[in-house]
């Protein structure tokens, strides 16, 4: 029996680790051919070899990255790439702020601009944007990340409205803190800006707003992504789906 995504090609950004790698594995398990896009060559090649996909090394902070993408048709886009910087606004480096918006907002726009015509021609497409609870809520000291994720939420809705007549859906998945290297790297930064010990960060900062007191596993996010890309997700578009353990219930 053919798998749900057999014959589809999925482009996953930031797929060398964390949520992106989990999504690459899960979509490949459903039959998709995966383009594993990452800034780092070795992790991208490792994941690509594991899933039988293709590694694409690209710096999404450079608008010219689009030229590095393969020319083959893309049916599924998972916009996952991103990075974090924690600092008060008055100390936040403007170049870092700009780079974060390029990676998390401009790059998804450039990818969509490239692949949407083909999706429209084929009458089918899926965009799943890995947003964040910070696409729905704000936290201090995360001005660029919160701004970028809020912008990604808006862009996703526009793609949903424009793509609907052509069989293209666009959604945002909004996790709270996921057990990834990105989150682990934040602990020292959070401890510094909040003036607390690193061991207090997870319990007192990261998990405090949520009702479910644990980190999310990357594979849990990937399961929702796969659902949205499959046949059961065909009527889900233009929305943001929190995976926040009750954070936004407050």
């Amino acid at each position: 029996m053919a798998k749900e995504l057999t014959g589809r090609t999925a482009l996953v950004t930031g797929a060398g680790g964390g949520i992106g790698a989990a999504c690459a594995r899960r979509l490949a398990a459903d039959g998709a051919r995966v383009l594993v896009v990452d800034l780092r060559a070795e992790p991208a090649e490792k994941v690509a070899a594991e899933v039988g996909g293709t590694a694409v090394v690209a710096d999404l902070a450079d608008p010219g990255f689009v030229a590095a993408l393969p020319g083959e048709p893309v049916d599924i886009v998972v916009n996952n790439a991103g990075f974090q910087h924690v600092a008060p606004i008055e100390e936040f480096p403007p170049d870092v702020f700009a780079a974060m918006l390029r990676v998390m907002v401009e790059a998804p726009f450039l990818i969509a601009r490239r692949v949407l015509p083909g999706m429209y021609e084929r009458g089918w497409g899926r965009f799943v944007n890995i947003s964040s609870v910070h696409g729905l809520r704000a936290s201090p000291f995360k001005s660029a990340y919160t701004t970028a994720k809020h912008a990604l939420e808006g862009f996703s809705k526009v793609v949903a409205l424009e793509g609907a007549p052509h069989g293209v859906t666009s959604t945002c998945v909004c996790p709270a803190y996921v057990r990834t290297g990105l989150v682990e790297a934040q602990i020292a930064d959070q401890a510094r800006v909040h003036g607390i010990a690193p061991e207090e960060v997870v319990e007192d900062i990261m998990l405090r707003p949520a009702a479910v007191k644990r980190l999310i596993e990357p594979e849990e996010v990937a399961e929702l992504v796969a659902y949205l890309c499959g046949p059961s997700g065909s009527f889900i578009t233009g929305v943001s789906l929190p995976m926040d353990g009750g954070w936004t219930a407050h």
Side-chain angles (χ1 to χ4, degrees):
M1 182 178 294
K3 298 178 180 179
E4 289 183 345
L5 298 179
T6 297
R8 305 293 189 189
T9 296
L11 185 154
V12 183
T13 66
I19 296 171
C23 290
R25 295 184 186 105
R26 185 63 182 80
L27 295 174
D30 269 356
R33 165 173 154 69
V34 183
L35 303 177
V36 179
V37 181
D38 204 280
L39 177 63
R40 306 157 299 162
E42 187 174 347
E45 290 165 0
K46 181 178 179 180
V47 173
E50 180 183 340
V51 303
T54 299
V56 180
V57 179
D59 181 1
L60 272 60
D62 177 0
F65 81 89
V66 176
L69 300 179
E72 65 190 273
V74 170
D75 305 292
I76 296 165
V77 174
V78 180
N79 286 308
N80 167 74
F83 65 101
Q84 182 64 273
H85 185 81
V86 179
I89 292 171
E90 67 273 18
E91 298 175 9
F92 209 104
D95 58 332
V96 176
F97 191 100
M100 292 176 73
L101 265 65
R102 286 197 300 272
V103 170
M104 290 186 273
V105 184
E106 186 175 344
F109 160 73
L110 293 172
I111 291 170
R113 188 173 183 273
R114 172 163 174 150
V115 306
L116 274 172
M119 290 181 175
Y120 290 174
E121 183 179 344
R122 295 186 298 278
W124 196 96
R126 298 285 183 270
F127 284 83
V128 182
N129 302 292
I130 306 302
S131 179
S132 165
V133 68
H134 287 102
L136 307 172
R137 298 290 187 270
S139 288
F141 311 117
K142 294 186 176 182
S143 56
Y145 193 82
T146 300
T147 299
K149 293 302 188 183
H150 273 67
L152 182 62
E153 296 274 336
F155 180 67
S156 177
K157 291 179 175 68
V158 174
V159 174
L161 295 177
E162 292 188 13
H166 309 282
V168 176
T169 68
S170 179
T171 53
C172 283
V173 173
C174 305
Y177 290 99
V178 183
R179 193 185 307 277
T180 65
L182 180 69
V183 167
E184 291 171 359
Q186 284 186 58
I187 294 175
D189 286 342
Q190 292 270 19
R192 174 178 52 80
V193 297
H194 287 280
I196 61 176
E199 56 269 20
E200 297 178 72
V201 170
V202 173
E203 182 174 351
D204 293 346
I205 302 296
M206 294 182 171
L207 300 183
R208 182 180 55 79
V212 180
K213 302 297 185 182
R214 68 171 177 84
L215 297 176
I216 307 164
E217 301 300 328
E219 292 74 19
E220 293 178 283
V221 181
E223 282 296 327
L224 180 53
V225 170
Y227 180 88
L228 293 169
C229 292
S232 298
S234 63
F235 204 69
I236 303 173
T237 195
V239 296
S240 303
L241 302 176
M243 296 185 69
D244 62 2
W247 183 328
T248 54
H250 291 286

